[in-house]
Each structure stands twice: as C-alpha cells, then as structure tokens.
Amino acid sequence: MKALCWQGKHEISVKTVNDPRILNPHDAIIRVTQAAICGSDLHLYNGYIPTMEKGDVMGHETMGEIVEVGPKVKNRKVGEKIVIPFDIACGSCSFCKQDEFSFCDNTNPNTALANTLYDHGGSALFGYSHLYGGYAGGQAEYIRVPFVDTNSLAIPAGVPDEKVLFLSDIFPTGFMAAENANIKRGDTVAIWGAGPVGLMAIKSAFLLGAERVISIDHYSGRLKMARDAGAHVVNFEDIHGILDEINYLTGGKGPDSCIDAVGLEAHGSTVTAVLDRAKTTVGIGTDRPDALRQAIQACKKGGYVSVPGVYGGLLDNLPFGAAFGKGLNFKMGQTHTQKYMKPLLDRILADEIDPSFVITHRIKIEDGPQAYKSFNEKKDDFVKVVIQMN
Ligand code: NAD
Ligand code: ZN
C-alpha cells in the first residue's frame, strides 16, 4: 500500500510499504477514506520528538471502513465506517476504566523507554514515534487498529466524512482543553494559538458557556477564522506587549482561564523566545515554551491554565513563582479522545458545531510531502489539510 513515511527531519515521502495484517485477536484492519495532518505531526517533521525511525508511517487523524476483524472483536463488523482516536487504549486497565484512555497501561510496548523520560509513560499513539509505541499511522491506504472495540467510533450512514474526521483528535482536544479550563458561564478565556486546536478550543469554550474568548496568534488567515468563530483576536506582532494588551482587555484582572494551544514550538521575538530558539537550535534545549510563560503570567489569581499544546522535555525560565503566587490551577496532557468521541458526535449531529470549518486544503496522498512543507511554513493560509484516500 501507499503511505506517507518519515525519512528524517524535514523529509516525508510517499512509499510503498507492506499492507497491515491482523496481529492480535482484538485488531481490525481499516481501509482509510480520509486522514489529516496535525500540528503534532509537525513536531515529528521538525525533529522535536525523539525515537522516530526512517520509514515510520505517519498519521493519527484517521477514519475509514472496516475490512477485516480479529476473532475476539465484539462490537465492530466489516463494512462499518469508523473514526479512530489518536491514542491507543486497551479498554480494560485501571486508567481506561476511569475514562483516562491516554494513560492506558497496556498498549505501549516501549514503556521502559517512556519511563526513562517520564517515570510513568502514557498510552501508545498512532504514528507518533517509538517512544509512543511505534505503531504505524493512518496517512496510508490501510491501518491496523488494536483493541478496535475501544479505539473506534461507528459513524451513522449518510454523515459526510469531513464532518466527523476531527473526532479523531482536534475536536476532542479543543473540547478537553476548554473543559480543563474549568469554564463557567460568563467567563473570559484567553487562548494562545489559532491553529486547528486553538480554533476548536474557541468553539468549545463558547459551547461551555464562555462569554468572551481572546484569541492570540500572528497569522491573519487563522485570526480571521478565530474572529469568525466569535473570538476577540489579538495579533501579537501588531501590539507592544501581549500581557499589557490582555490586562487592558480584562480591566486589569486577567482572564479567568488561559489555554496554551501552541505547545513546544512557540514563535515570537521576546527575549525568552529568542533564547529558546538559540538553545533548541544548538541542542541544549528541548522546548520553546513562550506561549506557556505568557499564559501563566496573564492568568488571573486563582485562575486555570489548560495546556493541550504538546511539550516534550525540560522547560526553562517558566514563571513558576507567578503560578504559585497567584494560586493557579493546571491541567494538561494528551486527550482522552475515546471519552469525548460519542458526546461530541451527538453535538455534530445536533448541528451545534461542524468541525470541518477548519479545512483549507484537500489533497491526494502523492501531494503529502509538499503539504507537510507548506503546513510547516504556514504557506497559502494553511490551517488544516485533509488527505482524501478515495
Ligand atoms: P498548529 O501548528 O497548526 O498551530 C499552532 C499555532 O500557534 C500557529 O497558528 C502559531 O502561529 C501559533 N503560535 C505560535 N507561537 C505563538 C505565540 N507565542 N503566541 C500565540 N500563538 C502562537 O498546531 P495545532 O494543530 O493547532 O496544534 C496546537 C498544539 O496542540 C500543538 O502543540 C499540537 O501538538 C498540540 N496537540 C495536542 C493534542 C493533545 O492531545 N494534547 C492533540 C492535538 C494537538
Ligand atoms: Zn494530533
């Protein structure tokens, strides 16, 4: 089959690789109909996540049709259309039983490796390095889904793929980010990053009752989408200081909650951002956490900082004194996608939201390598690219 494969930093190629096979009795094989490229894939593309190997199949935002099931699969059958969550869960460990699927104890065969970094490693992820299990991803014609009873959501016939594809990741991620921000009716929420995750967080914050959302980025196309989603937008390149601006917008109080939907590759020209870039360039730094610093600094006393943005290693110069002094609450992590898929499908079917609004590009798999490059450079107003497999 054809697949988009990681070849090294800044190099993705279309390769012919072996078709996946059923390996375990709870597996299913899916013929992929649509897959998307995620901001998280760019961390692999840019070489920030260790343990990628040449030839690894990319992709964790995937849907398709079941073509084969293992002998112990109970709830899924051949011919069903499913969306696949990006995190891989067993469905039966103590974490899965508490709906904490991305903490699954059983699916990552390389936990020893993850434990050296995190002491307690999380679940495996599709197409996301050997640290996260080394599973082949879904930017391919076919994908093997382990524990498919847990790792799938059946889609009713007649619903267009594009409306439900993002249940695989960015919609649950934006929604969990808003939930983690403890939004109450009437709140003001500031969201760093107006990429797909930030945009889903804006929509979700309003669904959860926020009165005002402030969206911060520096790409006009993305900020336009954020404005269309109802946010007050701030282009951080057009103003003097982001913290002054947010204080001004909140009457000096600070937002009730702050969401960092940027993660470890923040842009910017503050002193700390420039330092981060220098350190990561020469290999003495792991992350560029400037958005997180600003979120902590901006937040009101006793407020909530929610971090869907991905971080990998040791973060320098975090204003932890400010966090302590203001008694901030923190929540973060990989999304427990399986927990959110069904309730969010219901919101889509009830016409509360159509997540396909983020799509700016539709391509064939052959155009994948160029799409990675353009998405990374945020060329042509790239926000979200969908790979159409059929
Ligand atoms: P993206 O790269 O498309 O968007 C990131 C946006 O942040 C860009 O528009 C960029 O201009 C903006 N940005 C950069 N520096 C900024 C700054 N200093 N202030 C304000 N905005 C800034 O990525 P995405 O797909 O939207 O994903 C966002 C983050 O969420 C990534 O780190 C991704 O890995 C992560 N993510 C996490 C999960 C999870 O389970 N927690 C799931 C999906 C994605
Ligand atoms: Zn993702």
Side-chain angles (χ1 to χ4, degrees):
M1 66 166 184
K2 276 186 279 188
L4 289 182
C5 297
W6 192 89
Q7 300 296 315
K9 189 174 165 181
H10 295 161
E11 206 189 333
I12 303 287
S13 305
V14 186
K15 293 277 176 195
T16 300
V17 301
N18 290 334
D19 287 2
R21 291 182 298 114
I22 299 274
L23 297 180
N24 293 306
H26 296 280
D27 290 352
I29 303 296
I30 316 304
R31 183 181 61 78
V32 177
T33 54
Q34 310 248 352
I37 305 179
C38 181
S40 299
D41 290 325
L42 297 181
H43 306 321
L44 305 174
Y45 182 77
N46 291 323
Y48 275 88
I49 308 285
T51 73
M52 286 298 284
E53 288 174 16
K54 194 174 160 94
D56 283 348
V57 178
M58 301 284 292
H60 59 263
E61 298 186 322
T62 317
M63 66 180 295
E65 189 187 313
I66 300 178
V67 292
E68 193 183 350
V69 292
K72 289 201 174 155
V73 173
K74 286 200 192 94
N75 306 325
R76 293 282 167 263
K77 51 182 191 301
V78 170
E80 265 182 323
K81 178 68 77 70
I82 61 167
V83 174
I84 305 161
F86 75 88
D87 51 323
I88 309 174
C90 74
S92 49
C93 71
S94 61
F95 288 106
C96 286
K97 286 208 167 118
Q98 300 182 79
D99 285 350
E100 293 171 332
F101 296 97
S102 72
F103 301 158
C104 176
D105 261 340
N106 284 329
T107 52
N108 188 350
N110 298 332
T111 21
L113 192 61
N115 287 350
T116 53
L117 274 175
Y118 302 143
D119 275 317
H120 309 281
S123 76
L125 309 176
F126 284 105
Y128 215 74
S129 83
H130 291 263
L131 183 64
Y132 285 108
Y135 289 84
Q139 289 165 9
E141 289 178 290
Y142 293 89
I143 182 171
R144 176 177 75 94
V145 177
F147 300 108
V148 71
D149 285 325
T150 301
N151 299 310
S152 62
L153 174 75
I155 301 301
V159 182
D161 281 10
E162 288 188 355
K163 259 187 144 170
V164 291
L165 172 62
F166 301 128
L167 289 168
S168 57
D169 180 348
I170 54 167
F171 185 21
T173 295
F175 195 86
M176 186 169 116
E179 227 179 51
N180 282 346
N182 194 40
I183 294 167
K184 293 185 291 307
R185 199 152 286 285
D187 274 2
T188 295
V189 184
I191 303 180
W192 277 254
V197 170
L199 291 166
M200 293 294 165
I202 294 170
K203 291 268 190 187
S204 301
F206 284 126
L207 286 174
L208 293 176
E211 183 169 312
R212 195 158 58 129
V213 176
I214 301 167
S215 166
I216 304 137
D217 205 302
H218 64 144
Y219 291 115
S220 55
R222 290 171 173 229
L223 287 172
K224 181 181 179 312
M225 280 186 159
R227 191 182 300 114
D228 291 346
H232 174 94
V233 304
V234 176
N235 186 327
F236 65 78
E237 281 176 355
D238 291 349
I239 53 164
H240 216 60
I242 187 68
L243 297 173
D244 285 349
E245 182 71 12
I246 292 177
N247 263 330
Y248 169 73
L249 291 170
T250 55
K253 178 182 165 201
D256 298 292
S257 55
C258 292
I259 297 177
D260 168 5
V262 176
L264 61 85
E265 295 187 60
H267 317 150
S269 51
T270 62
V271 174
T272 41
V274 172
L275 253 179
D276 291 338
R277 189 170 281 282
K279 283 184 182 167
T280 52
T281 304
V282 297
I284 55 166
T286 56
D287 298 59
R288 296 174 0 222
D290 218 41
L292 180 56
R293 291 187 191 107
Q294 293 170 7
I296 292 172
Q297 205 71 40
C299 199
K300 78 164 188 187
K301 288 181 273 189
Y304 284 73
V305 176
S306 160
V307 188
V310 165
Y311 289 92
L314 303 172
L315 278 56
D316 294 344
N317 299 319
L318 272 195
F320 211 78
F324 179 84
K326 294 192 283 183
L328 298 184
N329 304 278
F330 285 85
K331 275 210 137 190
M332 63 195 81
Q334 302 284 2
T335 308
H336 306 300
T337 318
Q338 294 81 344
K339 174 181 170 187
Y340 294 94
M341 292 174 96
K342 178 68 173 78
L344 295 183
L345 171 66
D346 291 344
R347 287 188 188 260
I348 293 171
L349 296 179
D351 280 334
E352 287 177 39
I353 178 170
D354 177 355
S356 66
F357 79 96
V358 291
I359 300 174
T360 49
H361 293 71
R362 294 169 179 82
I363 61 163
K364 297 285 166 211
I365 193 166
E366 288 74 16
D367 302 320
Q370 181 57 43
Y372 265 91
K373 193 167 182 300
S374 303
F375 181 34
N376 193 43
E377 293 164 3
K378 310 288 190 256
K379 277 205 177 129
D380 311 323
D381 281 337
F382 247 84
V383 177
K384 196 73 181 173
V385 57
V386 170
I387 306 166
Q388 300 176 319
M389 301 299 302
N390 56 356

